[in-house]
Amino acid sequence: MKLPEKYCERMKRLLGDEYEAYLKSLEEPAACGLRVNRRKAAPDELLQAVPFSLERIPWTDNGFYYEDAAAPARHPYYYAGLYYLQEPSAMTPASRLPVQPGDRVLDLCAAPGGKATELGGRLGGKGFLLANDISASRAKALLKNLEMAGIPNCCVTAERPERLAEACPEYFDKILVDAPCSGEGMFRRDAKMAARWEEAPPETYLEVQRHLAECAVRMLRPGGMMLYSTCTFSREENEEVILGLLADHPEMEAVPVAPFSGFAPGFGDLPEAVRIFPHRMRGEGHFLALLRKADAAGGPENMAARKEASRVGDRRKAAGTDDARRTEKALSKEQLPEAVRDFLKLTTLDFSGGRFLLEREQAYWLPEGVDRHPGLRYLRSGLLLGSIRKERFEPSQALAMALGREGFGGVLNLSAEDPLTVKYLKGETIPLSGNAGPSPWRLVCVDGWPLGWGKASGAALKNKYSPGWRWM
Ligand code: SAM
């Protein structure tokens, strides 16, 4: 690999004695990682189910190494959303932001969703994830990945960070800022990035990184936590961004990240941060710093009460969500068209709490805690249930993915080895025999895990798998 000369000089200065070991590590192949979707399967369950071998990534509880030849993206379980393919170090930021069920979480630079899907999984269906990316085209990929992961309690926006900060002051409990960066930590995986470095060295990103971190502080509630991460080595893009932020915001403090023996501490005055180097552990280069905003009323023991208080009243008005609720014409389940209600009764999802929306012939469910803020550009609010045309309801791909195992009253369950499974994923019509159900709709599953919809028509199942998601 040809590394830019200037980059090598900087790395020599940064690493000192370790520089040679770093260079040597670049000759080793990069490790491949797979992260189990905790919303759908337990890590041990997946370990038993897959036909390829996996090895635990020791600093996460749901990440595994796999060999390239295993090709996990060519297995039906990938289409069932049971796992996400992610570089091992890139699993670290979402694993070290202490997200709890019920939290309001923002992923400010979320596309394509490697970390947002894990943050959503950690919420366990309770609370709210706002996944944002400034790029609308990248936000579409993010939406698909969140749908595939089966996360109902999220919204997706394509917004500039300052507009979000205006709409959501002191609103979130946890924020991830996975900032755009010069990507030095990824050179081994993608040699093109090394070439790009010369056109866009670390200085290129500093302004946007500081801006993102600053906006995140504005959106963090007192007592809340944010994690800033990059996949680059330069001190300017990492420690210096954070130290600058801490200097401007005495209400923010750096807190230690849950440890792992391979982690190196941050440089200089930021030992609480974590550095991941490829010569010290089996993953690419990363940086993460965890920060906490001081709590007006003091120590963490009052956190739960204050968090609850911040959920109601003034803060909500400040965030404008009351106004949004008034204009959005939310419906209760009873107010939904009969065709939708009848269909939802056949699912195992618990729709108690939350509200429903009908917009342009589409029905959505916004679980309790999912807020919309006026004036923001939403690509998605909550779970798209399906569309209503001529009083008929057609369920969405997202609804299928959000259901639990065999979570519908009418299932066609195929095994991962059955050739019909791949035929279904390719969009082909498949035979259906002796499979009666309370409606013509069938939830097609692989070993119990939902893949998508089909509609019974005599002895065949019409394929309703989302065309954009097909197996190629
Ligand atoms: N967190 C993502 C994941 O795990 O899949 C990767 C994020 S990538 C490192 C950085 C992202 O920041 C890009 O998708 C880019 O479009 C986005 N971005 C760049 N400038 C931004 C800005 N000013 N506001 C929000 N997002 C921005």
Side-chain angles (χ1 to χ4, degrees), residues 114-130:
K115 302 177 184 84
T117 45
E118 169 66 4
L119 296 172
R122 283 179 178 260
L123 285 176
K126 296 196 172 65
F128 170 40
L129 169 69
L130 178 59

Side-chain angles (χ1 to χ4, degrees), residues 16 20-21 121 143 152 198-199 207 212 247 249 251 257 283-284 310 317 340-341 344 360 362 365 386 431 437 458 469:
E20 289 305 321
L143 172 58
E198 294 199 271
E199 291 146 40
E207 195 178 324
L212 285 160
H249 290 277
E251 77 278 22
V257 170
E284 305 310 294
S310 81
K317 282 211 186 81
V340 185
R341 258 186 295 142
L344 296 186
R360 278 171 267 130
Q362 312 268 52
W365 176 49
W469 289 34

Side-chain angles (χ1 to χ4, degrees), residues 89-359:
S89 298
M91 296 178 191
T92 322
S95 78
R96 291 325 195 251
L97 180 64
V99 165
Q100 307 280 344
D103 277 347
R104 286 173 178 167
V105 180
L106 169 66
D107 188 344
L108 187 52
C109 310
K115 302 177 184 84
T117 45
E118 169 66 4
L119 296 172
R122 283 179 178 260
L123 285 176
K126 296 196 172 65
F128 170 40
L129 169 69
L130 178 59
N132 177 71
D133 200 278
I134 198 163
S135 153
S137 59
R138 286 176 63 83
K140 279 189 196 141
L142 164 67
L143 172 58
K144 180 186 169 186
N145 282 324
L146 285 165
E147 285 187 337
M148 204 167 204
I151 294 161
N153 50 332
C154 69
C155 289
V156 177
T157 52
E159 275 298 351
R160 295 199 308 275
E162 62 277 12
R163 277 179 43 88
L164 282 179
E166 229 160 83
C168 315
E170 295 197 346
Y171 176 81
F172 293 100
D173 301 305
K174 309 280 158 59
I175 299 180
L176 178 66
V177 182
D178 189 35
C181 68
S182 57
E184 295 166 345
M186 293 295 148
F187 288 177
R188 181 167 65 172
R189 274 176 77 89
D190 184 356
K192 285 196 293 293
M193 292 193 80
R196 227 175 289 147
W197 187 93
E198 294 199 271
E199 291 146 40
E203 297 72 44
T204 322
Y205 299 91
L206 302 182
E207 195 178 324
V208 68
Q209 288 162 343
R210 288 188 199 120
H211 181 59
L212 285 160
E214 184 66 40
C215 289
V217 168
R218 284 169 63 191
M219 288 185 270
L220 199 61
R221 73 162 174 82
M225 297 182 103
M226 66 183 257
L227 191 137
Y228 174 89
S229 56
T230 71
C231 59
T232 206
F233 298 120
S234 92
R235 281 175 79 145
E236 296 90 326
E237 295 180 76
N238 294 318
E239 283 87 352
E240 288 181 25
V241 169
I242 297 305
L243 290 169
L245 189 82
L246 294 175
D248 291 345
H249 290 277
E251 77 278 22
M252 300 297 296
E253 63 168 343
V255 292
V257 170
F260 170 68
S261 56
F263 291 164
F267 288 101
D269 291 338
L270 204 59
E272 299 88 349
V274 159
R275 289 282 192 155
I276 297 179
F277 290 113
H279 57 283
R280 286 189 171 219
M281 49 196 272
R282 261 177 88 197
E284 305 310 294
H286 253 74
F287 170 86
L288 39 152
L290 185 60
L291 308 178
R292 183 171 178 277
K293 195 181 220 179
D295 213 314
E301 66 279 8
N302 292 325
M303 180 94 90
R306 274 191 302 280
K307 192 165 146 185
E308 195 45 46
S310 81
R311 297 242 177 278
V312 290
D314 291 348
R315 203 175 302 285
R316 176 155 280 169
K317 282 211 186 81
T321 50
D322 281 351
D323 294 345
R325 292 271 171 98
R326 268 196 290 278
T327 53
E328 76 181 10
K329 298 198 184 79
L331 304 175
S332 67
K333 195 169 167 193
E334 292 66 40
Q335 292 169 309
L336 286 171
E338 196 178 355
V340 185
R341 258 186 295 142
D342 287 348
F343 191 93
L344 296 186
K345 269 187 219 150
L346 297 175
T347 74
T348 52
L349 266 186
D350 176 7
F351 291 101
S352 57
R355 60 205 195 277
F356 295 86
L357 295 180
L358 290 179
E359 286 178 356

